[in-house]
Amino acid sequence: MNIVLVEPHFPKNQREFARALAEAGANVIGIGETPLDYLDDQLTSWMVHYEQVGSVTDRAQMTDAVRRVQGMVWVDRMESTIESHQMVAAQVREDLGIPGTSVRTTWLCRDKPSMKEALRAAGVPTARSTGADDAAQVWDFAAAVGYPLILKPRDAAGAADTVRVGSDTELSAALERMGRYSSIAVEEFIEGHEGFYDTVSVDGRIELDFASHYFPGVLEGMRSRWISPQFVATNRIDDGGLYDEIRAMGHRVNEALGIGTSATHMEWFHGPRGLTFSEIGCRPPGVGCWDLYCAANDMDVYAAWAQSVVHGEVRERPSRSHSAGIVALRPDRDGVISGYSGLEDVENRYGRWIIDAHVPVAGTGTQPVEAGFMANAWIRMRHPDFDVLRDMLDDVGRTVHVYAR
């Protein structure tokens, strides 16, 4: 099987998709923005060919590159694992007759209002929402639904430029800040605990799944410097209750959005209104989630994904032996890192449960709070008991301090 992989070099874990496809028996053809002579020997060893383009989000450039590949070999599939690359990849697939996720499915997973409309039509509870091309439409929605509301760019990924507003004054200020966007998604704020559900599906059937929890919710965690936010993958997903509801909803999502053979990332809330689904990504999750799943389940999730693509089945199975999580450690201010405290204490108490850590050296420039879980320092841990792991991650967040000047 000849598989085109979009951008195998960046970000760092993209190489794992190339590795897994090669180990599953595929001929991997990379298309990326990095010059070939910059790629390391290990990465190039997993590919039979590489094409450089100026931009993997330029439809014309990508079409020309894939056509060059098709002039050499039959292309069985074209895979893209990064949100911002997916629409062009889907368009090229359809233009050149390559199987894979359709433009329609990609659009529904990128355009928030259209996504939620399709989910509601399939009986998947979700927040009331609309797409707005001007401020008047936003004000009309606010008058009809009330506050609080969530505003974000219509095709944004994750929590990028997302804002919660609770009054006319806050809405007016938010609209002024978001004036550079031609269209925004507006939805009612759903109260409840927030998490996500990640899968690998084959022909629409969920063959492998994981459930994770945010502490606290994303908006709060990505806006408050004093918080050391975390997300934790549970090993209790087979215990029924809420997780059975999430799984049933996940099957409905696949049907509603036309998801076939793909990884998915589904955000959910559970609160006074029960279980509701939020954003759906027809792609793997970001911020190293799969690495946590690998460590928690004694398996190679990248290999499982590659098996689904190459062989139409998932042979890897999760042990559910551990829960695993990450805690983000924020500098006390923006600037450059000057030092740490508490790292030795944490190592002494929890060393056996630490998977890995990222501790930038003094002099490293800081990243803004809203840049995400892995933007500055972080520690990843695992433990057989979910509640014990939660306590450990909380303790790490209280103990470790990152200083900047």
Side-chain angles (χ1 to χ4, degrees):
M1 180 175 280
N2 301 310
I3 298 178
V4 170
L5 177 63
V6 179
E7 195 50 87
H9 173 255
F10 183 83
K12 182 179 178 181
N13 74 325
Q14 280 295 99
R15 64 193 299 111
E16 298 300 327
F17 296 99
R19 171 193 61 78
L21 287 170
E23 290 176 353
N27 298 315
V28 183
I29 299 128
I31 299 181
E33 299 172 5
T34 306
L36 175 61
D37 58 9
Y38 186 79
L39 305 182
D40 62 83
D41 291 343
Q42 185 182 56
L43 178 56
T44 56
S45 74
W46 293 322
M47 296 185 289
V48 298
H49 183 71
Y50 180 79
E51 292 275 337
Q52 183 187 357
V53 295
S55 171
V56 294
T57 59
D58 184 289
R59 183 174 180 177
Q61 292 183 48
M62 289 296 290
T63 301
D64 289 345
V66 177
R67 278 202 177 112
R68 288 195 296 272
V69 173
Q70 287 180 314
M72 296 180 282
V73 296
W74 176 267
V75 174
D76 293 283
R77 288 187 69 92
M78 179 176 177
E79 296 298 324
S80 170
T81 61
I82 302 295
E83 179 105 2
S84 59
H85 304 165
Q86 288 197 297
M87 181 53 73
V88 166
Q91 291 167 336
V92 173
R93 275 195 293 264
E94 292 200 357
D95 289 345
L96 302 182
I98 301 170
T101 303
S102 68
V103 170
R104 174 186 178 273
T105 295
T106 304
W107 167 254
L108 289 175
C109 289
R110 291 284 285 152
D111 185 74
K112 312 311 184 217
S114 300
M115 172 198 302
K116 289 180 170 60
E117 183 178 343
L119 294 178
R120 286 191 292 267
V124 178
T126 188
R128 288 176 290 177
S129 61
T130 190
D133 299 322
D134 57 54
Q137 292 174 306
V138 180
W139 286 109
D140 288 345
F141 185 81
V145 174
Y147 295 108
L149 296 174
I150 300 295
L151 279 67
K152 70 186 305 181
R154 194 157 181 168
D155 63 351
D161 289 334
T162 300
V163 61
R164 173 182 169 175
V165 297
S167 67
D168 286 354
T169 301
E170 291 179 1
L171 178 56
S172 180
L175 288 172
E176 185 173 345
R177 290 196 302 273
M178 300 182 76
R180 66 185 183 278
Y181 296 108
S182 59
S183 185
I184 61 175
V186 190
E187 63 183 62
E188 64 176 330
F189 174 77
I190 298 293
E191 181 184 352
H193 173 66
E194 187 176 359
F196 51 93
Y197 178 58
D198 292 332
T199 80
V200 174
S201 293
V202 177
D203 295 330
R205 304 183 313 274
I206 295 174
E207 298 290 339
L208 179 66
D209 63 357
F210 308 94
S212 297
H213 299 260
Y214 286 115
F215 303 99
V218 173
L219 273 183
E220 184 181 2
M222 293 298 104
R223 299 295 183 267
S224 304
R225 182 178 294 277
W226 67 270
I227 294 174
S228 295
Q230 56 189 262
F231 64 80
V232 186
T234 183
N235 58 348
R236 297 174 178 173
I237 189 172
D238 297 323
D239 290 355
L242 173 63
Y243 300 117
D244 282 352
E245 292 183 54
I246 291 171
R247 280 173 157 164
M249 206 93 79
H251 283 283
R252 260 189 266 171
V253 167
N254 278 6
E255 293 176 3
L257 303 184
I259 296 172
T261 298
S262 176
T264 69
H265 178 64
M266 309 184 190
E267 302 270 349
W268 53 264
F269 290 87
H270 186 256
R273 288 174 48 178
L275 179 66
T276 60
F277 268 38
S278 177
E279 315 267 311
I280 310 297
C282 191
R283 56 168 176 79
V287 289
C289 287
W290 275 13
D291 299 328
L292 284 178
Y293 301 154
C294 291
N297 291 281
D298 310 292
M299 68 176 297
D300 184 344
V301 182
Y302 299 93
W305 167 82
Q307 291 159 10
S308 74
V309 173
V310 177
H311 302 295
E313 63 180 1
V314 173
R315 299 167 182 172
E316 300 272 326
R317 287 291 170 242
S319 67
R320 313 291 190 199
S321 63
H322 292 73
S323 293
I326 181 173
V327 55
L329 304 168
R330 269 77 174 271
D332 59 356
R333 70 196 70 195
D334 289 326
V336 296
I337 292 174
S338 59
Y340 299 84
S341 65
L343 287 172
E344 187 174 347
D345 290 343
V346 164
E347 173 67 25
N348 289 337
R349 286 201 291 273
Y350 307 124
R352 63 177 295 203
W353 305 116
I354 294 174
I355 301 168
D356 56 6
H358 176 64
V359 184
V361 299
T364 303
T366 67
Q367 298 297 315
V369 168
E370 60 271 16
F373 286 87
M374 304 186 89
N376 293 289
W378 48 262
I379 294 177
R380 296 194 289 197
M381 307 175 72
R382 69 174 192 166
H383 193 276
D385 188 286
F386 176 86
D387 295 318
V388 172
L389 177 62
R390 283 274 295 114
D391 289 341
M392 291 194 304
L393 291 167
D394 283 345
D395 189 38
V396 170
R398 290 189 298 265
T399 301
V400 178
H401 298 278
V402 185
Y403 303 105
R405 52 178 170 78

